[in-house]
Structure formats: structure tokens, C-alpha cells
Amino acid sequence: MRAIKDSVHDYIEVDGVAEALLDTPPVQRLRHIKQLSTVRLVYPSANHTRFEHSLGVYHLADRALSHLDVTGARADTVRAAAFLHDVGHGPYGHQTEGIIQRRLDRHHDEVEDLLASGAVGDVLRDHGLDPQRVAAMVEGEGRLGQLVAGELDVDRMDYLVRDAHHTGVPYGTIDHGRLLRALAFRDGDLVLDEGNVQTAESVLVGRALMNATVYRHHVSRITGSMLERASTRLLDESNLDTETFARMTDGQLLGALDDHDATTEAARRIAERDLYKRAVWTERAAVPDDVVAADHDEIQEFERTIAATAGVSPEHVLVDNPGQPSMPESSVRVAVNGDVRPLHEQSPLVKGMQEAQRVQWRFGVYAPDDCAPEVAAAAERELGLAGVGDVNA
Amino acid sequence: MRAIKDSVHDYIEVDGVAEALLDTPPVQRLRHIKQLSTVRLVYPSANHTRFEHSLGVYHLADRALSHLDVTGARADTVRAAAFLHDVGHGPYGHQTEGIIQRRLDRHHDEVEDLLASGAVGDVLRDHGLDPQRVAAMVEGEGRLGQLVAGELDVDRMDYLVRDAHHTGVPYGTIDHGRLLRALAFRDGDLVLDEGNVQTAESVLVGRALMNATVYRHHVSRITGSMLERASTRLLDESNLDTETFARMTDGQLLGALDDHDATTEAARRIAERDLYKRAVWTERAAVPDDVVAADHDEIQEFERTIAATAGVSPEHVLVDNPGQPSMPESSVRVAVNGDVRPLHEQSPLVKGMQEAQRVQWRFGVYAPDDCAPEVAAAAERELGLAGVGDVNA
Amino acid sequence: MRAIKDSVHDYIEVDGVAEALLDTPPVQRLRHIKQLSTVRLVYPSANHTRFEHSLGVYHLADRALSHLDVTGARADTVRAAAFLHDVGHGPYGHQTEGIIQRRLDRHHDEVEDLLASGAVGDVLRDHGLDPQRVAAMVEGEGRLGQLVAGELDVDRMDYLVRDAHHTGVPYGTIDHGRLLRALAFRDGDLVLDEGNVQTAESVLVGRALMNATVYRHHVSRITGSMLERASTRLLDESNLDTETFARMTDGQLLGALDDHDATTEAARRIAERDLYKRAVWTERAAVPDDVVAADHDEIQEFERTIAATAGVSPEHVLVDNPGQPSMPESSVRVAVNGDVRPLHEQSPLVKGMQEAQRVQWRFGVYAPDDCAPEVAAAAERELGLAGVGDVNA
Amino acid sequence: MRAIKDSVHDYIEVDGVAEALLDTPPVQRLRHIKQLSTVRLVYPSANHTRFEHSLGVYHLADRALSHLDVTGARADTVRAAAFLHDVGHGPYGHQTEGIIQRRLDRHHDEVEDLLASGAVGDVLRDHGLDPQRVAAMVEGEGRLGQLVAGELDVDRMDYLVRDAHHTGVPYGTIDHGRLLRALAFRDGDLVLDEGNVQTAESVLVGRALMNATVYRHHVSRITGSMLERASTRLLDESNLDTETFARMTDGQLLGALDDHDATTEAARRIAERDLYKRAVWTERAAVPDDVVAADHDEIQEFERTIAATAGVSPEHVLVDNPGQPSMPESSVRVAVNGDVRPLHEQSPLVKGMQEAQRVQWRFGVYAPDDCAPEVAAAAERELGLAGVGDVNA
């Protein structure tokens, strides 16, 4: 047994299969993937990694299993899945998952191959676990899979608190102790026990406020767009294959962008925080429906058209169409007076929150500082944006 | 200048008029009034007092004034008002304010007499301040009074964070640093500057969640009802006058209840946490409108009738009709794209929150454990309650 | 099982005998005894009570037992002793223990009678525990008693961290997680396992720094002296018996002092923080050995003599002779390269710390502000103090 | 003015010259140098960088200047020096400073050239500051330079607290608020004002405990030795010049080691935490004086000899001779009864602490797990080590 000191949960006891997994390369690689990728450019203390987050998720899973009185191999499978839930992430986590998805048709939580092969596969089998079952749980399958990836998962409980600790933004500081002790199974579903409507609301609200102030901060979104564009170019123009790309660390990707001539400037800009600015930053009502509905190829086409109209180089226009925010917490099932109801049926707050997220939604077009005005004008015309909102950087 | 170590704000520098006020008896008395009165019976660490809270409010006022660039005597008036804003509280704070209001027709923030007389009046005048103007500010009058008592006041900023620190419930941990730097004056009104809709929402949400889990916890409400009933009896039956009562400390009131024969049992119950239980605990829909609308005298009549029907002593029935929750944060004015709008016009969250509070509203009837069933049945019949909700203590 | 939210340890699960003890009057009484008695006059946030401290000690004992793999009735006895270890304290804790000791010849950890009688005795016996064995453990007897009251006890682990949290002074923030996992039994003794010399040093150092800045702060010592003098007078002059006195709460004692004519002024001074000042505050070298060695009666004689010489009323002179600081942590046994050694044999820090405490030692004589100079001169002459040190209040 | 949220100091207001320096490449580079280099392999949350530390040091310098009432260009020079004090660090900070020192004969705080040239030089001159004077202050020259680099510098105040926050080890949590308000000038020297012996002791003790448990943890020392050896080889064998090396980031160095054939295995070991183990780990008494006194070349010679004797490849032996721990805090000047004395004259704790550090001193020889026994035996013989201490990994 190893006890690892964590800045959020104090000592985390790592035991059994998790202890054996600790030293495998795919797990150690997570030390080099930042939990909040580009957010550190807004909140400089946010340098925590998916490694310590994975330890935290493992720890909370372990406590939840003990509370729910689940033991044996089933519990070990959950523990392994909790610890491994993020190994499928590419460099810079969510910022490259679109690229990987499009090119490999694989989401970051599809980790069956990763878990079956190499050191991880060996460890799982040595401990009598089936890599396929662990992988299924990472995707949230089964009754216990809900604990790993579901509306009430321990992933969320850890990252909200950890991101709050490291950014200094308190909104994510949920009461995970209370959440864990509220967990119960009812008719095969994971629910929050009687008296916990506010417990559920607090998670919903915590994540929504972190979304607005941290996760979707425009500086992070701009950097993410720059990174995605440069990565695409690197993959298009170099002989780097996507599988290799998907297994890089943050530092390796930045190094590769720096080594490739066409992306070295982007690498420098990201490393030195010399970022594009918002040429357009506008509310939902100002954006035509077909623009919002545009897919990746159409977005690229928009970028080329705007660049041509503005008379700037195509790589100087980035269109960022964020899609609709999801709110999985609204489906959390809560016991109320003996009934089990989804939170959105019980709490009028859910609807307010959903509407609030719609109000906060922003569509962005980014460009280097010196050509932002031309890009703004071109974007407004080409996309049919209505009276582009005020941009206060 | 004195620097006082505070567990929430670290060092608080107390200077000028505030330093002179520190040693006056009405301010020192606040060391003996707990900030959360009976909440400590649910959250045992919540023993903090209105004294350190007053220091915190003074500190935040001072920082807000510096941010807003307000100086001179106007600023000193605000600082004094912030520091003195709670001196009007009776023993156990909000738990006795109904009694004092009914008997003296005076709210706890009407402190004109208190501030003009004695050591406090001397200090204020010695520092060139007008006690009447300080008192007006405690009531929230004037442009700067909004800072002391308004939708965006520093009182709220301190108590949310302090109550979170001392209860261990994280929901109140708002970002007061951000709030302070977002404050601005527009057309004479205190508003939150551009880009702070979530800042305002976070306060709204923080207070609502603290309401549900801390401030309106049923154990605290039961104890408050017991305390109010016993205090009423003490005032009715002894020669204690209300003015003296209103200036007692928590400990003095408990001592007086203990010394008076008819209330000694109540004092023991409160001291030893041997509390009444919920005979009725029910949602808004189950309570007839006229019951909800009943005034203090009618409530007392209900209690007598229920006791008679149940065949128990009248002091064994406590009816707790909480009134509608207020939500002053919904009127906070926020700058959005150059406009100033009240939060409820900008944020759909406000409506959701208001409805959520309505859903959380509970009407209670409390009685000693051994006669709770009889009291429940009698209350249901006499008040016409529809299918009383499940009570899980 | 009840889970109680604590501001230091988050949720504390209270179970079995501890849950049944929760509602007994001697335990509930601890809600009314402040952990740091008069320290709140220096650190205003320090209003925490021996009730939540007792919960914390219980919690740490429970974790230690689980780490040491102790179960069954022996473990229950430890848990009960941990939870009850402070029920013997008089009002204002350590500030009145000298009085109680002298009059009843009983230390606060001699609780055999208290534990055998009343509700506590019933609960213990109902759970198959022997009150006498629990009481012995409160005094630190036996192998497991060391965990409750010894050099490595959980009492210390809780109060250092709790006092740091509530005062805001960080020095007490020891790593109790590390301490708990370092505990081991060797040849029947509780020791710290291999690799934990610094763990032990950190407790030693943490307590020494808290001593200097918090526990022995002169304002707290002055108030304590005033309280002891007034309590002595109350017991001498009223019909209050010492047993009743010893079972009072902080608030009841303050109320009793206020009600008794001769001590009402002292009660007012303590309540309003209108304290005596340091007439003398001097280092060890300046105080003759026989003064340092004086017992309680001799000290009282000193006070009378100084008062007479100074021409002031006897109650205006308080002599505070603090005795030598103890340093139980220096005897902590630590495993080093297979040996078990007391910390002071292994760590040269212990000697430095002991000398540092000697350097910090101060002898005080206190008096009302307006007669402090006369009292200082008289004390210097009567006690033969050599060049009294500089007093900067 | 920019307000940057920091997880340690909350909002840091960055203004004037510091705001202009923010966006210069040498400052942004610090985002890619971890504050605790290889410590993250022991404490996984310790991923904070010299960038946020530099912001913190700037912030504390700013507060200290305001407390000391220093304004104008002198204050700006201090602020710039505080913010820039770490720009001279090579990749992995202290872990490569030996290499850089030996090859360039330059310590990391010799930054005159760096500050005079490029964007940093431009910014300094634009704000009317002399880069040379700023550089001198980074080296601690002058009365105010003591604030930036001296026994009482703000560097130490920030890193102790920040490292505690990010490792989770509480020992570094000093009271920087108290330290700042204790600063005073006496006869041109920066001292701690009257009544602050414990304040000084607490820093001394905090750093010593962090040394033992964090900064000099053997896992971090092993990794540092591996990194130094690999970097030396990279510089010896590739065409990388030392100036370029010295300006790399952590990630760039790891990438370069990975790209170079002879060091790719070391890079993999560091990245995947597949570290050498302790073959020897022994106390001062066991190491002959001439071994302790050996310089870098002699150490290399030892390594070659041990490898030959053990029959292993030379790169499989790392000798780590840590030198004597310094204790600059012992020279802190403290005002005591009107005198100014160095702490070691006033506090007997200093001597105890120095001896404690001597007791904790360890000499290490590291090797891959599978050849550790042979290396241990060879080292013992070749270096004349007396009965090598117990190694418990």
C-alpha cells in the first residue's frame, strides 16, 4: 500500500490493482497532461495534471464503494476504471479531442485497446480483471459504471473541487463528503437519497459557475482554437500520424509544433501568451441558425471566406462555434418523499440554469490584434451576424 | 492602529474611529452574541460571534471604499456604520427580533438612540461624525448606505464566507475579492460592473444554498421557536422589561430563562439540546392560505387550540410559520453591454431560484417527542393541513 | 450512525457508544466551555468549544484504532475515553483548574465519579463498558491510554489544528494524517514508525510556537488571572460550593460573578475587555529563585504586600508566576534504524526548543492601568526583581 | 492594471512596470519552469511554476514596500527585481544550476545581461529604471535588496506558503501577514521589529521541516541526479551550447534528452518515474571527510571507480554529495528590548535546528534497481563508507 499526499484529499491510500497501475507508462503519462490545458493562461496557478486528478477520482470511487458496501472484483473493476478513466485523453485534453474524434473516430473514453495492451493490460489481467469490462465502465456502462461516468460520477466531484483549489475560484467547492454519503442504489439506479435536492443543485450550480468563469473563459477558448488549428496543420502537413499524436503529452505537442515550420509561430504565441484577440464575441440571438448548426468542414469554409474578404492570411481567422452546453446534472435522480425523480422535475432551478447557460453562450471569431477589425467586419458580413456584441477584452 | 488576526480575512487593520469604537461596551457585547445563534446545534463548529463578523464587515467596507475611491468624513461614516451595523441585535440575534419588534416597535437596524448615547456617541462625535448619519447608513440610506445595507452590501459578503468557514459547509464561499473589485457607481447607484452577471448569480446561489442547508435547518428553527416562546413567557411573567431584554447577551438570556421557574425547563432543553421534534413539517401546497397569512396573535391562538385538541399542555405546541423567503440579491444592478439592469431581468437563474425557494418552504409544528403524534393529528385537523408530509428527523 | 459536519475534519461519523453519549448532559455541557477560554480576547475568532474538540478527538482516535487494527471492546473503551476526555473541565477550562485542584484535590482528568454516575454511566454500562476503565484511560493508563493522554495523543493532534483554524495562526497546522499513519506499537509502547523524526519535531515545534503566540499570550494570561482571582473571591464569600462551581459553564460563571457584588466589577471588565495591564513583565533572570518557587499562598501574600506598599486596594494587584513550561513531546518515542529512542535523544532540536521556551518565559504582575506604575515599583522592591523588562502592551 | 487570481494570495494587482513585464518572453518562459522541479514525483500536486511564484513575490514586495513606506523609483526598482528574480533559472531550476555555474561561471541570480537586453530591457528603460540596478537588487545588494534576496526576503515568504499549498504538506504555512508587518529598518538594515522572535523562529523551522520532507526528499534528489547526469552528457556529446541550454524550459530539456540517443533512456525514466534506487543512503559520520569535501570532478571520478568495481556501466552509478545545508534565517536580525540581534544570538532554537539538519544530512549513491546491491558494495569499499545506513525506500 502506498499513501500519496494530495493537496485536495490529503493522504490517498493506493492499494491492490491501483498500486500496480501507478507505475505503468499510460498512467505516468498523465503527469504530463494538464487537467485544465489552456486555462492556466487565465488562472496561472492552474497547472494541475490528470495524474493527480486520476488519483482523486480513484480515492472518491473507493470511498463511494465503501459507503455503498460494494466489495470484491466488482469493486476492483470500478477502482481500476476510476483510476484509468482519463488515459485516453490526447495532449491538452479536451482541446484536441475534436481532432482525434474526426480522424480516428474515437472518443477519449473509448479505451478498450489501450487497456487491453501493454503494461496496463498485464496489470489488469494479473489482478483477475477483464480489461474489456474496465473499459466499458470507463464509458459509464452498467449500474456501477454510473459512478465512473454518469450524472453523479466521482470524476465531476473531484475536478470541481480540484479546479477550485488550483485556480483560486471558489465556485467549484462542492461538498463531496455529503455527496458521497448521499449515494444510494434504488431499482438498479444510482440516486441521491432523501433530503438531497440541494446537494444535487449545488453540483449543478457549481459546474455552471465554473463553466462561465473558468472552463469557457475566452482566453482559454482562444488558445484552444489556436492549438486546434495548429495541430490540424501539423497533422495535415507532416508525417505525424494521428495515433502517435493522440499519445503525445502537452510538452511533446508543443515541441512538435515548434519543430514544424508552418506552426512554429503558433507554438511561440501559445508558449509566450501572445494570443489572438476576439474580433467577434456575440450572443446566440445575433448568430443565424445555420451558422450555429455548421459542422467542422463548414466552419473551415467560413474561416477561408472571412479571411479572403478581410484580405488576411487564412490562418489569421479562427471561428469558434461552441455548441450547446450540456447539463448532465439535470438528470441526477433524487429521492423525494419516497419517489425517485430526475432533478429537473423536482428543482425549478434546473430550468433557470439552462436558460442562464443559453444567455451566457458566446460565438467567437479570433484574429491577431492588428487585423481584428477587418476580420470582425468580414465575419459580420459573411456570416450574417446581427450587430456584433461589445467585446471587452 | 491595531492589526487583529481574523480566521477569515487574516489581519484586519483597525484604525481611526473604528479603533476607538473597539473598546466601547456595545461593541464588546457583540462578542457574546453568536452570529448563527441556534445553528450551532446542527453545525457544532458554528460558534463565531457578531464581534468578529463586525470586524470583517468593517474590513470589507474599508476595501470597497478604497476601490471606489471614497475618502474623508464620508468614508469614515461608512466605516463606522459597517462596524456598528449589528449593535442593535438582541440576544440570539434574529431569534428574538420578532419579540423586540412587536414590543418596542423597533427593528435591529434602528440604532439611532444607541449610537447617539454613551461611549459610542462620544467616540463618534470625538471623530467629527454625526451619530444620526451613521445610524441612517446602518439602515441603508443614501448612495453609500447601499454598501452597508443593500443588495450588494459588505454584510452579506462577510457572513456568507464566515458562516461557510465555521460550519464547514462550502456553499457560502463566494469570491468576495471579485465582488469588491466589481463594485462601481452608475448614476448614483451601486452596481456591478460589466462582465459580472455570474458574480451576482454566485451570491444569489450561495445564499440560497446556505439558506436551505444552514440558516433554515429544522433543528435551528425548532430551537429558535422554543427560545422565542420561552422569552415571551419570561417577559410576560417576570418584571424584566423589554429594553433590558434587548440588550442582554446570549448567555445572560439563557441564565435569565434558567432563573425563572416557568422557563427553566426550556433553558435546560436548549442548553442540553433536548429539543422538541417536528410533529408537522409540510410543503406550501398543504397549508391553507389563511394559515400562511396568520399573524403572531393568530399563531398563538392556533397553538392553544391544537394543544387543547391534542390534550397537551399549551407550551408543548409550537407553530412555526416561516413567511416567504426574500431574495434581495435578485435586485442587484449589473452592467451589461453598457446598460444597467436588475439581475432578475438579465439572469433567468433568478426565477428558477425563487421557485426553488418556494419548493423548499416548510411549515412546522413542534412538540416534545412523546406527544408529537397527538400534536400532529390535532394540528392537521385544526389547521386543515392536507396530508402532512413525511418527517424524517 | 450520525454524521456531524466539522469545520476541521469535515464529516465525523459518530456511532455506537459515542452516539449514545452525544446527548448526555455532561457532553452537551462542553458546548458551553470554550476550548481556548480567554484567548478569544486576543484572537476574536477563537470561540470554538470543547464539544467540537471532543468530537474531533473521538474521530482521530477512531482513525488511529483502525490504523493500529484495534477492535472490539478495547477499541470502544478508547473511543469513549477520547470522546469524554474533557468532561472533567471546570468553567473556562485551564483557567479554573488550579482553584478546583486546590479545593477538591482533583485534576480535570480525574473523572471516575463523573463517568460512573448519571446518564454517562448508564450509557457506558449499556454498551458493556466499565466506567472505571474508561476513566483510567482518560488519565492515560495502559498501552492504549497513551493514545488518549500521552506524548502522542490524539487530543494534541486535534487541538493544534483546530486552534490554528479558529485563531488564524497557522503554526499549529500539523500533518495529523501523517502522524496517524506513523503510529505503531513496539514492545507495548506507542511509537512513531521509522522515518518520522521530523513528524515528531513538527508537533513539538507547532505546540511551542502556538504556546508563544496563542496559548500564553499576555492578554489571555491577564484575563485568566483576573478570572481566577474573582472566582476565588466568589467561592470564599458566597455560599457557592466548589463542586457546583466545577460543573458550571463559562456563561454561568460569568453570570455568577456578575451577580455577586464584590466580583461584579471583575465580571464587567472581563465581559467588556477592560483589562488590567502589565505592571511587570520580566524574564527568568530577573526573578529571584524563591519567588519563582513560591506556592499559591505565598503568591497571595506577595500580592497583599505589593498592594500595601503601592497604596492600592489588594484586588488591584495580580501576580502571575507561570511555572516551567512542560514539553511532553520531547519524550515521544521514534523508531530510528530499528531502535526506538525518545525524541530528545535523537533530535538536537528538542534541547534548542527547551531553551527557547526558557527564554520566552515571563513573570507578570498586573494592575489597573491607572495604578500600574505604583504597582510596578512596589513589586520590583518587594520581590527583589532586577531591572524589570520593557513592557510593550 | 490587471488583477490576476492566484490560488495563494487571491487577487494580485499587477501595475506599472510589472504589468508591462508580464508579457515579455523571459517572464512568460517561467510558466514552463516548475517551482519544485522533480518534487512532483513525490508530491503529485506540486506542479506550480516559477511564473505564479514570481507574481506572488512581486505581490509581497509590493505590500512590504507599502508597509515600509517606500515609494517612487526606488520602490519600482524593488518591484521589478522581485518580479524578475527568477528569470535567470535554467530548466528544472536548481537541478541544473550546478551545470550552468560550472560551464558559464554564472549563478542564476546573475541576470544583468538578461535584464539589459531584449523586451525586458526595453520595458525597464521605458519605465525609467536602470536594468543594472534591478539586477543588483536581484543579487540582494543594497538596503532594499535585502527584501528581494536576503534572510528576510519575500521570495522565501512566498515559496514556503505556495509549496505547502501545492504539496499538501502544511509545514511551510508561515504567517506572512505577520512577517510583513514586522519588517522595519534600523540603521539601514532590514530587521524584525520588537516582539517577533517567534515570527523569525517560525520561518526557520518551517523551512527546515520543508527541507526534510519536501525539498530534500530522496526521490527528488535521485531524479535531480539523473537529470544532471543526462544533461551533462547531452551538453558534452551534442552540439547544444550551454547558453541555449540555460534558456530552455523544463519541457524543452526533456524533449532534447529524448531526442539524443545516449540520453533517451534517462528521459524515459524521468518521464515515466522509473527511477534509480538508493544503493547507499548514509549519515554524516559514515562518510570520510575527504569524500564530503570532494568537488565535482572528484565525484565523477568516484562514480567511474565504483562502476568499474561493481562491474556496471558508468552511467549506472550516481554519487550525490549534498553539501552542508545553509540556514540563512539564523542571521535574521530581530529587535529585542531595544537591541537588534541576529536570531542565532537570541534564540537557542537556531543551534538545535542546525544540529538537527546535520543529523538529517544524507549521502547517497543511486543505481538502477537490479544492480543496486553491487553498486552499494563497491561504493562502500571504494569510498571507505563505514557501515552504510539502513535504506528504507
Side-chain angles (χ1 to χ4, degrees), chain A residues 5-6 10-11, chain C residues 60 63 157 160-161 171-182 192 196 198-200 202-203, chain D residues 43 167-171 209 213-214:
Chain A
K5 185 91 178 180
D6 177 55
D10 206 22
Y11 286 96
Chain C
L60 294 178
R63 285 181 54 195
M157 295 185 204
L160 284 173
V161 175
Y171 307 142
T173 316
I174 57 165
D175 188 346
H176 55 70
R178 182 167 183 142
L179 268 164
L180 286 180
R181 30 185 72 260
L192 287 180
N196 283 291
Q198 279 83 45
T199 316
S202 71
V203 181
Chain D
Y43 296 99
T167 55
V169 176
Y171 307 143
L209 289 171
T213 52
V214 176

Side-chain angles (χ1 to χ4, degrees), chain C residues 33-323:
Chain C
I33 313 280
K34 290 199 173 51
Q35 177 70 17
L36 290 183
S37 58
T38 55
V39 165
R40 69 182 178 81
L41 294 176
V42 191
Y43 297 98
S45 321
N47 294 303
H48 51 303
T49 77
R50 293 193 178 268
F51 180 75
E52 64 255 37
H53 164 60
S54 298
L55 280 169
V57 171
Y58 160 78
H59 170 71
L60 294 178
D62 187 59
R63 285 181 54 195
L65 291 165
S66 146
H67 168 74
L68 293 166
D69 211 19
V70 178
T71 55
R74 284 197 322 146
D76 275 346
T77 303
V78 176
R79 282 191 203 97
F83 194 28
L84 294 168
H85 79 285
D86 263 358
V87 295
H89 267 293
Y92 283 88
H94 296 295
Q95 305 286 18
T96 59
E97 72 184 359
I99 296 178
I100 296 168
Q101 178 95 52
R102 283 189 298 276
R103 289 176 187 240
L104 299 180
D105 194 25
R106 192 178 72 206
H107 190 251
H108 72 80
D109 62 8
E110 295 172 56
V111 291
E112 205 172 307
D113 290 351
L114 251 172
L115 300 199
S117 62
V120 170
D122 292 345
V123 165
L124 292 177
R125 283 181 296 264
D126 282 357
H127 285 76
L129 301 181
D130 172 5
Q132 214 161 327
R133 287 196 49 213
V134 177
M137 221 167 246
V138 170
E139 292 191 72
E141 287 172 23
R143 205 168 77 118
L144 286 167
Q146 301 170 53
L147 201 57
V148 180
E151 298 86 14
L152 270 173
D153 61 33
V154 286
D155 180 11
R156 199 177 314 259
M157 295 185 204
D158 185 80
Y159 77 64
L160 284 173
V161 175
R162 191 171 299 279
D163 295 345
H165 180 81
H166 284 283
T167 56
V169 176
Y171 307 142
T173 316
I174 57 165
D175 188 346
H176 55 70
R178 182 167 183 142
L179 268 164
L180 286 180
R181 30 185 72 260
L183 292 177
F185 279 112
R186 293 276 177 95
D187 304 325
D189 269 340
L190 199 61
V191 308
L192 287 180
D193 222 337
E194 220 49 71
N196 283 291
V197 173
Q198 279 83 45
T199 316
E201 288 177 346
S202 71
V203 181
L204 181 83
V205 156
R207 206 172 65 93
L209 289 172
M210 290 298 275
N211 255 340
T213 53
V214 175
Y215 304 141
R216 294 181 165 241
H217 191 284
H218 68 269
V219 166
S220 175
R221 281 176 56 187
I222 292 171
T223 320
S225 296
M226 294 173 69
L227 197 66
E228 182 166 9
R229 165 70 63 91
S231 298
T232 300
R233 200 154 173 191
L234 176 69
L235 285 165
D236 283 347
E237 298 176 3
S238 74
N239 58 3
L240 180 65
D241 67 292
T242 312
E243 283 291 357
T244 306
F245 171 85
R247 304 308 302 148
M248 279 178 159
T249 64
D250 293 359
Q252 286 167 342
L253 175 54
L254 205 57
L257 293 174
D258 192 32
D259 285 348
H260 182 66
D261 279 353
T263 54
T264 191
E265 171 66 4
R268 185 201 62 74
R269 278 181 172 272
I270 292 165
E272 297 182 1
R273 201 186 185 280
D274 179 14
L275 304 175
Y276 283 16
K277 297 289 178 267
R278 289 175 288 180
V280 170
W281 187 247
T282 193
E283 305 188 0
R284 178 63 187 82
V287 190
D289 289 352
D290 64 321
V291 173
V292 172
D295 67 12
H296 185 255
D297 289 345
E298 290 169 305
I299 294 286
Q300 286 196 308
E301 188 55 39
F302 291 158
E303 293 175 339
R304 277 187 294 266
T305 313
I306 295 168
T309 305
V312 303
S313 157
E315 70 257 36
H316 285 166
V317 179
L318 296 173
V319 170
D320 180 18
N321 187 15

Side-chain angles (χ1 to χ4, degrees), chain D residues 260-373:
Chain D
H260 182 66
D261 278 353
T263 54
T264 192
E265 170 66 4
R268 185 200 62 75
R269 278 181 171 273
I270 293 166
E272 297 181 0
R273 201 184 185 279
D274 178 14
L275 304 175
Y276 284 15
K277 298 287 178 268
R278 289 175 289 179
V280 170
W281 187 248
T282 193
E283 306 190 359
R284 178 64 188 82
V287 189
D289 289 352
D290 64 322
V291 172
V292 172
D295 67 13
H296 185 256
D297 289 345
E298 290 169 306
I299 295 285
Q300 286 195 307
E301 189 52 40
F302 290 158
E303 292 175 338
R304 276 187 295 265
T305 313
I306 295 168
T309 304
V312 303
S313 157
E315 69 258 37
H316 286 166
V317 178
L318 296 173
V319 170
D320 180 17
N321 187 15
Q324 286 309 319
S326 70
M327 198 176 269
E329 296 88 350
S330 64
S331 308
V332 160
R333 280 142 299 185
V334 191
V336 180
N337 295 338
D339 267 17
V340 171
R341 311 177 196 163
L343 184 62
H344 58 82
E345 280 183 19
Q346 175 64 23
S347 168
L349 187 57
V350 171
K351 210 161 159 238
M353 214 60 178
Q354 281 164 333
E355 282 167 35
Q357 292 223 343
R358 232 182 320 272
V359 170
Q360 291 158 24
W361 187 93
R362 288 293 180 282
F363 176 88
V365 181
Y366 315 133
D369 210 2
D370 55 9
C371 60

Side-chain angles (χ1 to χ4, degrees), chain D residues 142-389:
Chain D
R143 206 167 78 116
L144 286 167
Q146 301 171 52
L147 201 57
V148 179
E151 298 86 14
L152 270 173
D153 61 34
V154 286
D155 180 11
R156 198 176 315 258
M157 295 184 205
D158 185 81
Y159 77 63
L160 283 173
V161 176
R162 190 170 301 278
D163 295 345
H165 180 81
H166 284 282
T167 55
V169 176
Y171 307 143
T173 316
I174 57 165
D175 188 345
H176 55 70
R178 182 165 183 143
L179 267 164
L180 286 179
R181 31 186 71 261
L183 293 177
F185 279 112
R186 292 276 177 95
D187 305 324
D189 269 340
L190 199 60
V191 308
L192 287 180
D193 221 337
E194 218 51 70
N196 283 291
V197 173
Q198 279 82 46
T199 317
E201 288 177 347
S202 72
V203 181
L204 181 84
V205 156
R207 206 172 66 90
L209 289 171
M210 289 298 275
N211 255 340
T213 52
V214 176
Y215 304 142
R216 295 182 164 240
H217 191 283
H218 68 269
V219 166
S220 175
R221 281 177 56 186
I222 292 171
T223 321
S225 296
M226 293 174 69
L227 197 66
E228 181 167 9
R229 164 71 61 92
S231 297
T232 299
R233 199 154 174 192
L234 177 69
L235 285 165
D236 283 347
E237 298 176 2
S238 75
N239 57 4
L240 179 65
D241 67 291
T242 312
E243 282 291 357
T244 305
F245 172 85
R247 304 308 302 148
M248 279 178 158
T249 64
D250 292 0
Q252 286 167 342
L253 175 54
L254 205 57
L257 292 174
D258 191 32
D259 285 348
H260 182 66
D261 278 353
T263 54
T264 192
E265 170 66 4
R268 185 200 62 75
R269 278 181 171 273
I270 293 166
E272 297 181 0
R273 201 184 185 279
D274 178 14
L275 304 175
Y276 284 15
K277 298 287 178 268
R278 289 175 289 179
V280 170
W281 187 248
T282 193
E283 306 190 359
R284 178 64 188 82
V287 189
D289 289 352
D290 64 322
V291 172
V292 172
D295 67 13
H296 185 256
D297 289 345
E298 290 169 306
I299 295 285
Q300 286 195 307
E301 189 52 40
F302 290 158
E303 292 175 338
R304 276 187 295 265
T305 313
I306 295 168
T309 304
V312 303
S313 157
E315 69 258 37
H316 286 166
V317 178
L318 296 173
V319 170
D320 180 17
N321 187 15
Q324 286 309 319
S326 70
M327 198 176 269
E329 296 88 350
S330 64
S331 308
V332 160
R333 280 142 299 185
V334 191
V336 180
N337 295 338
D339 267 17
V340 171
R341 311 177 196 163
L343 184 62
H344 58 82
E345 280 183 19
Q346 175 64 23
S347 168
L349 187 57
V350 171
K351 210 161 159 238
M353 214 60 178
Q354 281 164 333
E355 282 167 35
Q357 292 223 343
R358 232 182 320 272
V359 170
Q360 291 158 24
W361 187 93
R362 288 293 180 282
F363 176 88
V365 181
Y366 315 133
D369 210 2
D370 55 9
C371 60
E374 295 85 342
V375 170
E380 208 165 331
R381 203 171 61 193
E382 295 298 337
L383 303 183
L385 305 175
V388 159

